Amino acid sequence: MRSETPVPSATSRNGATVLYIEDNRSNLELVQRILARRPEVSLLSATHGQPGLEMAGRCGPNLILLDLHLPDMPGEEVLRRLRETPQTRGIPVVVISADAIPAQIERLLAAGAQAYLTKPLDVKQFLSLLDQIIGERML
Amino acid sequence: MTERGAEGLKNRTPGAARARVWREAGATLVTLAVAAIIEILSSTALRVPNPPAFLLLAVAASAFRAGPRAGLISALIAWLYIAYFFSLPDRPFAYSDENFRRVLVWAFTIPALALMVGVQRRRLEGAGDLRSRELALEAQRATERRFQALIEHSSDAISLIGPDGIIRYDSPSAGRILGYAPGERIGQNGFESVHPDDLDRTGTLFAEMLQTSGGSVTAEFRVRRKDGAWRWLEGVGTNLLHDPSVGAIVVNFRDITRRREIEDEIRRLNLQLEQRVAERTAELREAKDEAERANRAKSEFLSRMSHELRTPLNAILGFAQLLEMDSLQPEQKESVELILKGGRHLLALINEVLDIARIEAGQMSLSPEPVHLQEVVRESLDLIAPLAAPRNLTVTGGAAVTWDRYVLADRQRLQQVLLNLLSNAVKYNRPDGTVALSCEETPRGRVRIAVRDSGPGLSAEQLARLFVPFERLGADTTVAEGTGMGLALTKGLVEAMGGAIGVESAPGEGSVFWVDLAPTDHPAEREQPVRATAAAPEGHGHMVLYIDNNPANIRLMQRVLEQRADIRLLVAMHGSLGLDLACQHRPDLILLDLHLPDMSGDEVLSRLQGDPRTLGIPVAVITADTRGDGDRLLATGARHYFTKPLDVRQFLVMLDRTLREQRVEGRV
């Protein structure tokens, strides 16, 4: 069930775009609901790594949220490819994973992730990080 | 007697004959001397009236001394002297029939006596000779009997074998060892009973021995007893064929079957032991592999479980947090709060289980550093105060909050430990009770942090189960909340930091939990004991810009720079902000982390180098990335490169040197 749903109204001229690569529906829905609190931010989502990469290249989102357990490729691989591709290498990536192993967190930060949030998400923390990154981009 | 006997024996030799002649001559001279004395005395007043009597005595003596020949010569001398004595004119011989007969008697008596005494003497000598010969023979026989006894009663056996291998003599013990009657083996070939496996070897040795006269060989070999049993023998063969009195191979042998059996047994046991050691080693290796496999499987299982549990929790806690932000009815709000509370409890549990598993697997990564004890103590007390207030507990830190000591610990984990002990002291306490934290130095030079409560105390049975996971003492009877993992985790953490944890308690007397840690020096004082720069006026101070987005790192840097009162620290959590601040303030030093939210540290570095306003500012890179990018960064313009955990001492050295240089440059 591959889907590249451009969720709600994807393009708002003044707003920011966030791409969420995640295969778990309830996680996706949670982030959708959280982002509903930031009307200026629109959310794109991909449930698989490959379409996620394509979407990132095409749409150039302001921020990519990345899950590590994807059906087609490891999230780490997605991050590596995002960093390799010239169009996407400047886009900040925040990993959101249920893996809380310090060694893994270190590894992904070293591989270029801007932040590593563990599930369950702390909504306030997530929002402040989002505001910080998006805020900078917008400025 | 034996002396004479020996003399008699010696007579047969030429030396003895010569001695005999000398003795005879001597004996004869005695007679002559007696005659001379009589002659000399005859011209004095002491004239001997009857010389033949004296002469008879001399002849008898010389015959006794030297045998019949000397006796007869002496008798002749006596005769001649008697004739001379009576022929002299002054010694008139009154001839008469009576006197003539008297002289005649003397003339016959003297040689007769000489002959008698001499012959008797010779006979006596002969008897002595015989006696001594008998004695010598007897001695020889005794010696032989002694040797015979030695041979017969020896446990070692002796055989004589011809060059053809035929047995010529067996000592009694040879028969005993091999089960034969005495002499039964004589005439047999000794090699016939040697074990077939030993035949070649012993045959070769025997042949070699035959080549060398007097040569001897030693060998261990098996020989069949008369009853068919095999015995191990140790034999020494000596080639005495050349010796006419022996003319055989002398084989000396003993039964070493028992020794060989013991040796074999020892060898067998050794082999068995080696085998068992090898088996046991293999078993242990397998068990170790198995344990490692199990440990890996456990770690994997736990991290999967953690992942699987966190994913649904994300929905539970996430949506609950969203609901909480909405405006809710009080009842709804309470429900959401309970959902959040339950979810967070579950999350804490998962985290603690994972921590314990990591400690057990040795995978807990800690960064020990000098930790200022009073800070951690103060922060922990502040955090625990809200928990203690509802129960009206008095929480005191006493002197601990001002104790200026440093311990070697992971700051965050140490705080976790203290919070855990304090929250336990709050939970398991009576209303209006007390919680007292104290610090002291132990006699062994460690730093002890103790938390005393006024709770119900613990029984010996409870103490035994205290640090076991999920043992929540009295949880059913009190309202205490917790995961049940706290003390097990605390113990693991303390031990992972090289410390020790313990408890002293008795029912009704409250409990004291203590943690011992290694003390350490003040991190900055080691480098700069005199803080003279603290007095520097603010206008002449330095400015350091720190670009890093990790709050813990920023806090560490703030604390490190507290030691340098003349330094003003600017902090930027993003690269772009950092660049702006660098342009505006032109700091004396820029500290740069490589992982920034908006741009890479490399980029910040290159932009700093690209802007004439910031080009000259020294940059020190501080990163957790230890992959060895240092050289590359130093090549692209970074002045210094530090890896986390930060070596504070080294960092301060760099800081001071750099700031000194900047000041000089500034004045120029």
Side-chain angles (χ1 to χ4, degrees):
Chain A
M1 201 184 102
R2 284 160 78 105
S3 66
E4 298 179 29
T5 33
V7 191
S9 50
T11 47
S12 62
R13 201 158 274 283
N14 299 327
T17 312
V18 171
L19 168 62
Y20 189 18
I21 309 176
E22 162 73 271
D23 65 323
N24 181 310
R25 285 211 159 270
S26 67
N27 289 338
L28 185 58
E29 200 160 318
L30 175 65
V31 169
Q32 273 176 20
R33 292 282 297 275
I34 295 170
L35 288 184
R37 298 180 159 267
R38 297 288 183 271
E40 72 281 9
V41 176
S42 54
L43 180 68
L44 297 171
S45 74
T47 58
H48 289 64
Q50 192 55 46
L53 284 168
E54 285 161 18
M55 209 181 272
R58 208 168 54 236
C59 310
N62 300 88
L63 171 64
I64 297 172
L65 305 174
L66 178 63
D67 179 43
L68 294 181
H69 286 254
L70 296 170
D72 58 341
M73 65 171 81
E76 231 173 316
E77 173 68 13
V78 175
L79 178 62
R80 198 178 60 77
R81 293 205 198 169
L82 284 170
R83 284 275 160 259
E84 277 173 7
T85 315
Q87 299 101 296
T88 56
R89 72 174 307 172
I91 306 171
V93 176
V94 171
V95 173
I96 301 177
S97 171
D99 285 324
I101 302 154
Q104 174 158 326
I105 297 175
E106 294 272 319
R107 200 170 62 240
L108 280 143
L109 290 177
Q114 296 299 320
Y116 190 114
L117 300 178
T118 55
K119 294 172 189 171
L121 272 180
D122 182 315
V123 176
K124 281 178 188 146
Q125 188 195 2
F126 175 75
L127 279 173
S128 72
L129 182 70
L130 182 84
D131 291 346
Q132 200 179 66
I133 294 171
I134 297 294
E136 262 162 36
R137 290 280 131 175
M138 301 297 282
L139 291 169
Chain B
M1 278 289 258
T2 44
E3 234 172 61
R4 284 202 187 162
E7 255 176 34
L9 275 172
K10 279 177 193 163
N11 281 351
R12 285 191 210 98
T13 63
R18 223 175 4 253
R20 186 188 168 92
V21 170
W22 276 114
R23 200 165 63 233
E24 283 173 345
T28 314
L29 279 175
V30 167
T31 315
L32 262 175
V34 168
I37 289 165
I38 294 169
E39 178 54 32
I40 290 161
L41 291 178
S42 59
S43 54
T44 67
L46 289 168
R47 199 173 66 94
V48 178
N50 191 7
F54 282 102
L55 285 168
L56 183 66
L57 208 61
V59 167
S62 82
F64 184 79
R65 174 85 185 100
R69 194 163 48 176
L72 285 176
I73 293 168
S74 296
L76 190 65
I77 292 166
W79 256 9
L80 288 171
Y81 182 70
I82 290 166
Y84 165 77
F85 184 82
F86 286 112
S87 64
L88 289 178
D90 55 330
R91 297 159 199 158
F93 179 69
Y95 185 79
S96 68
D97 273 357
E98 184 67 25
N99 278 354
F100 183 72
R101 271 198 298 272
R102 212 175 277 163
V103 167
L104 218 57
V105 167
W106 281 118
F108 282 110
T109 309
I110 289 171
L113 188 73
L115 212 60
M116 252 167 59
V117 170
V119 167
Q120 197 60 35
R121 165 70 208 224
R122 179 55 47 85
R123 211 178 267 164
L124 260 171
E125 274 181 6
D129 233 22
L130 200 66
R131 176 86 189 118
S132 69
R133 227 171 284 146
E134 267 170 21
L135 281 169
L137 265 175
E138 179 56 34
Q140 202 176 340
R141 276 197 292 272
T143 308
E144 274 169 20
R145 274 199 303 277
R146 194 156 61 232
F147 281 118
Q148 191 74 16
L150 281 176
I151 288 170
E152 296 195 356
H153 296 284
S154 163
S155 62
D156 283 13
I158 294 168
S159 293
L160 298 182
I161 297 175
D164 48 5
I166 300 294
I167 295 163
R168 296 190 191 159
Y169 167 79
D170 253 354
S171 73
S173 51
R176 270 202 303 278
I177 288 170
L178 296 170
Y180 288 89
E184 195 180 346
R185 293 205 313 153
I186 289 168
Q188 290 181 8
N189 188 320
F191 286 98
E192 274 171 13
S193 54
V194 172
H195 195 282
D197 292 352
D198 300 334
L199 204 51
D200 277 358
R201 191 164 47 86
T202 48
T204 309
L205 286 171
F206 191 73
E208 273 173 21
M209 182 177 55
L210 288 181
Q211 301 299 313
T212 34
S213 179
S216 109
V217 291
T218 307
E220 292 185 8
F221 53 96
R222 280 158 291 178
V223 170
R224 193 176 51 240
R225 276 171 61 99
K226 195 180 180 186
D227 59 13
W230 292 103
R231 305 302 291 176
W232 271 101
L233 302 182
E234 181 191 63
V236 182
T238 309
N239 181 351
L240 293 181
L241 287 167
H242 66 286
D243 185 334
S245 62
V246 183
I249 309 291
V250 177
V251 180
N252 211 311
F253 62 92
R254 65 176 66 164
D255 189 339
I256 56 161
T257 309
R258 182 80 195 117
R259 198 186 85 198
R260 289 292 295 222
E261 277 170 4
I262 290 168
E263 279 172 4
D264 285 351
E265 181 69 8
I266 289 170
R267 225 182 329 251
R268 197 180 59 77
L269 285 173
N270 270 339
L271 210 69
Q272 214 171 33
L273 199 66
E274 272 168 30
Q275 210 170 334
R276 280 178 62 188
V277 167
E279 276 170 23
R280 196 85 189 99
T281 310
E283 274 171 31
L284 282 172
R285 193 177 299 127
E286 207 166 293
K288 183 169 162 273
D289 288 350
E290 180 59 35
E292 279 170 3
R293 259 199 303 281
N295 208 15
R296 270 197 303 278
K298 183 175 145 194
S299 304
E300 216 165 282
F301 172 75
L302 281 162
S303 83
R304 279 188 82 103
M305 275 306 288
S306 154
H307 183 270
E308 297 308 313
L309 292 169
R310 279 165 182 275
T311 304
L313 260 183
N314 190 37
I316 297 169
L317 283 174
F319 288 108
Q321 284 174 88
L322 281 175
L323 281 174
E324 194 189 24
M325 291 174 182
D326 293 335
S327 44
L328 296 171
Q329 301 293 320
E331 243 173 67
Q332 290 173 319
K333 198 171 168 60
E334 200 190 331
S335 303
V336 170
E337 273 166 8
L338 284 172
I339 293 171
L340 283 172
K341 199 172 165 191
R344 281 175 183 141
H345 181 94
L346 195 53
L347 183 60
L349 192 60
I350 293 166
N351 287 338
E352 286 180 359
V353 168
L354 218 65
D355 277 349
I356 285 185
R358 255 185 233 131
I359 289 170
E360 280 177 2
Q363 292 168 353
M364 173 64 79
S365 57
L366 297 167
S367 31
E369 53 173 339
V371 175
H372 202 191
L373 203 53
Q374 54 167 285
E375 283 176 26
V376 186
V377 166
R378 223 177 289 154
E379 281 171 28
S380 305
L381 290 173
D382 286 350
L383 285 166
I384 214 71
L387 280 180
R391 291 165 171 250
N392 201 23
L393 295 169
T394 312
V395 182
T396 58
V401 291
T402 51
W403 206 38
D404 190 22
R405 284 301 290 266
Y406 284 77
V407 291
L408 195 65
D410 181 309
R411 190 179 201 281
Q412 201 187 338
R413 295 303 193 174
L414 177 57
Q415 180 148 56
Q416 191 179 347
V417 166
L418 294 187
L419 281 175
N420 211 320
L421 296 182
L422 286 167
S423 71
N424 272 350
V426 168
K427 278 185 222 159
Y428 300 95
N429 213 324
R430 58 177 167 78
D432 308 315
T434 56
V435 173
L437 189 149
S438 63
C439 292
E440 62 177 5
E441 192 165 319
T442 68
R444 296 175 63 194
R446 310 264 279 177
V447 167
R448 171 165 295 192
I449 308 161
V451 176
R452 177 185 297 276
D453 65 48
S454 58
L458 298 160
S459 68
E461 190 210 347
Q462 285 174 315
L463 285 172
R465 293 183 297 138
L466 203 56
F467 294 102
V468 180
F470 299 112
E471 291 283 358
R472 294 183 57 194
L473 306 175
D476 44 344
T477 58
T478 70
V479 291
E481 290 173 18
T483 57
M485 305 288 291
L487 279 176
L489 177 59
T490 302
K491 181 170 191 275
L493 285 173
V494 169
E495 283 167 4
M497 288 191 284
I501 190 168
V503 61
E504 282 148 29
S505 182
E509 291 180 8
S511 308
V512 183
F513 285 82
W514 52 261
V515 168
D516 283 356
L517 291 166
T520 186
D521 292 339
H522 190 297
E525 273 177 2
R526 273 191 294 195
E527 193 47 47
Q528 200 182 29
V530 186
R531 287 160 63 178
T533 46
E538 207 170 323
H540 294 99
H542 296 289
M543 187 180 290
V544 172
L545 170 63
Y546 188 23
I547 311 176
D548 191 336
N549 73 324
N550 182 322
N553 291 339
I554 293 169
R555 195 164 170 183
L556 172 69
M557 190 55 68
Q558 283 167 341
R559 204 171 315 123
V560 169
L561 293 184
E562 271 169 22
Q563 312 300 330
R564 301 286 190 278
D566 57 331
I567 292 174
R568 200 177 137 210
L569 182 66
L570 287 177
V571 176
M573 291 183 76
H574 295 84
S576 51
L577 178 63
L579 287 169
D580 288 347
L581 288 174
C583 289
Q584 272 171 40
H585 296 277
R586 308 246 205 117
D588 298 292
L589 172 65
I590 297 173
L591 307 172
L592 177 64
D593 179 49
L594 290 183
H595 295 291
L596 298 169
D598 55 347
M599 61 177 80
S600 72
D602 285 5
E603 202 180 336
V604 175
L605 190 58
S606 69
R607 287 207 207 168
L608 285 169
Q609 303 292 310
D611 192 320
R613 287 171 296 178
T614 54
L615 178 61
I617 304 173
V619 178
V621 170
I622 303 176
T623 176
D625 193 338
T626 53
R627 283 172 306 175
D629 275 353
D631 291 345
R632 186 177 56 76
L633 287 160
L634 293 175
T636 55
R639 186 83 65 93
H640 305 282
Y641 182 80
F642 292 92
T643 54
K644 293 171 192 168
L646 191 63
D647 183 334
V648 175
R649 201 176 66 90
Q650 212 179 351
F651 173 78
L652 286 172
V653 170
M654 181 280 293
L655 182 75
D656 291 340
R657 192 182 300 142
T658 306
L659 295 182
R660 212 158 41 232
E661 283 167 12
Q662 287 301 102
R663 175 167 287 174
V664 171
E665 276 173 31
R667 279 179 187 164
V668 170

